[in-house]
Amino acid sequence: MADATLEQRVNDLEKAVRELQEALKGRKPAADWLERVIGSMKDEPAFDEVLDYGQAIRHADRPAEDHGP
């Protein structure tokens, strides 16, 4: 490819793009990742513990006067 002209390289790229576009036409859109994840940790004690730790860390980083109930 090092000896290929700029025109040939552009033609090769355009062909590759057309092939990719054609390959994508038949594919179904990917499922929304968020929809797959929502609820996946429901009733998982370890996840609840992680949330509690995160909240404690955020709470500890606040100035004393911001600490509320």
Side-chain angles (χ1 to χ4, degrees):
M1 184 99 164
D3 294 334
T5 65
L6 180 58
E7 183 177 355
Q8 182 58 47
R9 291 174 65 190
V10 169
N11 287 337
D12 291 345
L13 286 170
E14 289 174 340
K15 179 182 176 197
V17 168
R18 277 193 304 275
E19 290 170 358
L20 288 170
Q21 288 173 331
E22 285 299 317
L24 288 175
K25 280 184 183 177
R27 294 183 66 180
K28 294 189 316 185
D32 181 14
W33 68 270
L34 186 57
E35 290 298 322
R36 290 186 314 214
V37 172
I38 291 175
S40 65
M41 296 290 182
K42 184 180 178 190
D43 300 325
E44 184 64 46
F47 185 69
D48 293 337
E49 189 176 349
V50 168
L51 291 178
D52 291 341
Y53 281 134
Q55 185 175 11
I57 290 168
R58 287 190 306 277
H59 190 73
D61 287 342
R62 293 183 190 153
E65 63 272 4
D66 286 350
H67 287 201

